[in-house]
Amino acid sequence: GSFDGGRRRSTQMGFLQSVQNFRIPKKNESVFLEIVILGCIYVLAFAVRLFSILRFESVIHEFDPYFNFRTTKYLVSQGLYKFWNWFDDESWYPLGRIIGGTVYPGLMYTSAIIFWILNAISLNVNIRNVCVLTAPFFASNTAIVTYLFGKEIRDTETGLVAAALISIVPGYISRSVAGSFDNEGVAIFALILTFYLWVKSVNTGSLFWSLLCSLAYLYMAAAWGGYIFIINIIPLYVLVMLACGRFSQRLYVAYTSMYILGTIFAMQIRFIGFQAVQSSEHMAAMGVFCLLQLVNFLSWMRTMLPGDHFRRLIKLVFTVVGSTTAVAVAIMTATGYISPWTGRFYSLLDPTYAKEHIPIIASVSEHQPTTWSSFFFDLHLLVFLFPAGLYFCFRKLNDANIFAILYSVTSVYFAGVMVRLMLVLAPAACVLSAVAVSSTLKTYMGHLKKPKAVAKKPKVDNTIPIQREIALVAIAGLTLLLCLYTFHCTWVTSEAYSSPSVVLAAKQGDGSRVIFDDFREAYYWLKMNTAPDAKIMSWWDYGYQITGMGNRTIIVDNNTWNNTHIATVGRAMSSTEPDAYKIMRMLDVDYVLVVFGGLTGYASDDINKFLWMVRIGGGVYPVIKEADYLTANGEYRIDKEGTPAMLNSLMYKMCYYRFGKTMTEYGKPAGYDRVRQVEIGNKDVELEYIEEAYTTEHWIVRIYKVKPEENRWAAA
Amino acid sequence: ETKQKEKEGADKVQNISTDSFASFVNMDLVQKFWQEYTAQTPRKIRIIDAFLAYMVTTGVIQFVYCALVGTFPFNAFLSGFISTVAMFVLTVSLRIQINSINAGDFKGISEERSFVDYVLCNILLHLAVTNFIG
């Protein structure tokens, strides 16, 4: 009775007491703190990328992700074997495209595996949602791997700061928001993972870490073409180590095993195949591999042979090796066995190359050189902390620090050449800034500790007065800067990088939001109202979206692998209607699609891209001359001053059909183009060979049907 | 006497030619190396070295065959050749890690750990090679 009740009450009291007295043991306090911090960073990195889902809906953004989405859907529905051997007859009509052999499958496999795992445990998530959220999920994982990388470079505190910085850095967020289902989302994770495992394998010299490093390199090679960066920077690092006299057996073990295993693994990807041993971009790695074998052999010989025997051996080896290398390289270059650097990567070394020789590469906005404002916009505080971090690295040089320095400096160069490569600079900037921040905080936090009562020999230099106060000011200043960084990153993510591009939004005069969903409207119309084997001609930007959402065959798409085919489409768009009709009949085109922004003020429309069509078309067909479309002063005009070639081109006619009678703005005449801000030149557009099939609500997408040829011997 | 001088002259020429041939091939280097090698390296390492020599021979044979007969099918040649090169590299790494001279460089890696790493690398290597042979 009461005796049992008393005992129960006392055990309850005992439990409460033990909860109250619960203290983490001192030595585990830091581990607990790390886990909590990393947990918060993980959630933060995921949460900050969800703006577009909250504002619009869970939709795939932009152009390239639609191709990745379509291939992932195919992989999930058809299986691994069919995907690996997929020949797509719905794009690049009539050529088709070997998707199985020309795609980097890492992203698709990653999403498919996540989808299969979730469905296996009865969480029936839609494949679209898996794809939309793959990038934020991997961004969280990148933060964790950056923590490990920072920890390996210096210490745990650096790792934590690096993870915090990279979770919100705008340079990385731009390519990994929810909905941006693109290769970089998983590739940056693979990049940092490879670098972390590389530094770990150099530090330990264990074959296990080299094996993991080569597996991470395989994942990177499967995910993104930027794996070339890894396979060139690691040999560069080895060369720098040799030059610094830091050759060690650990370095030999790490590099040789990683290179050879990485090469055989990378060759399993169909898209890479034999390039891993044949293309010029991989030659540096092979050269350093052979060099390292030689250096190791000579260092072994030095233990075997006494002094002057060794000198004679060195002379012999150098003559033999030098002559054979020279002869081999000469033969292989002369016979063309080693292919020269391909266009995309050559333009990284010579930025002016693409503009003169390959207009298609030059026309992509992501390939333009970076402006100063982009650096600050994408990195903010890190621009200033980056050199400070370099300084701190140089102060305490070891094998790992040299790698961090090399990675950062080379990525700064590449980020300056191409805007898209800001992405590679962002993690380097975060790690080095973390070094700077954590070193500074360590110095000043030490001053904040109250000195012990016992007067030991003071470690702190007492000649500088008010040390605690200065330390407080410095720490407060740094905290303020980091808070400003956070505000900037959140603002940038919210305003600049969270737009789906497929759905547009604008503020009306009374402040309410109006949504332009014209693209999806047009593709849905195509899907519902055209024959299943209809062929759509449009400029290559929209190819992936048409196949992804409209599920129709297209002529050219964003893969841009065949310049002549694109030039044919460009020529068709720039020619007069009869000439264009001949080309369209040759290509079996049923519908033509153009994007027109004149009614709404949407600036990325086809009229603004028209000069690129002319240039690319003119690059292959000399009959199209760019000068014909520009006025005598060299201006690009579509009003009354526009040239006849411009005003009679198919593109002009398709964009401005029926526009001459449309009122666009209050107080302006009919046919006023809101993007170019002029009244159009030819207001009475008549179409002979095509007819209007569909125009979306805000006239952004216009679809025209190509009329079949007239019957011969028509009744008179 | 001239005949003797001639004979001595002929002997000298012969000696010079064999000497110069020997010095060209650096026979004394090889001999010295062999002396040191057999004296310094323990038996375990020498077994590994014999395996290494075997792999080098296999690789050279494959390369010469490919040069003579042609590169089709290239993937078969590459997988065979890379398997020899990779095994060479991995075995050299094992040798380095086991060798007690290098104990300072490889703290915390016992012989057993080295061997397990080696086996793991070999498993994955041969998986890739078998997949690539076609």
Side-chain angles (χ1 to χ4, degrees), chain A residues 205-206 268 301 304 312, chain B residues 28 33 36 97 113 117 131:
Chain A
S206 154
Q268 311 303 313
M301 278 290 143
M304 292 283 137
R312 280 170 43 203
Chain B
D28 60 334
F33 162 72
E36 287 286 336
Q97 286 179 349
R113 162 89 193 263
D117 292 346
N131 183 39

Side-chain angles (χ1 to χ4, degrees), chain A residues 224-288:
Chain A
W224 194 33
Y227 76 95
I228 301 277
F229 180 62
I230 299 189
I231 203 62
N232 278 303
I233 206 178
I234 292 189
L236 184 65
Y237 168 72
V238 172
L239 280 179
V240 166
M241 293 285 273
L242 288 177
C244 293
R246 280 174 178 265
F247 172 74
S248 67
Q249 300 292 5
R250 285 175 290 118
L251 184 68
Y252 173 83
V253 170
Y255 179 68
T256 48
S257 51
M258 183 259 169
Y259 169 71
I260 198 69
L261 288 176
T263 303
I264 185 75
F265 288 156
M267 287 204 279
Q268 311 303 313
I269 313 285
R270 277 184 74 184
F271 194 25
I272 299 176
F274 302 142
Q275 279 179 29
V277 290
Q278 278 180 338
S279 86
S280 305
E281 290 127 11
H282 296 88
M283 284 298 122
M286 191 188 285
V288 172

Side-chain angles (χ1 to χ4, degrees), chain A residues 205 350 383-384 409 491 563 625 696 705 708 714:
Chain A
D350 177 12
V383 168
F384 304 106
V409 171
W491 176 85
N563 195 38
K625 299 185 207 39
T696 55
K705 185 170 162 63

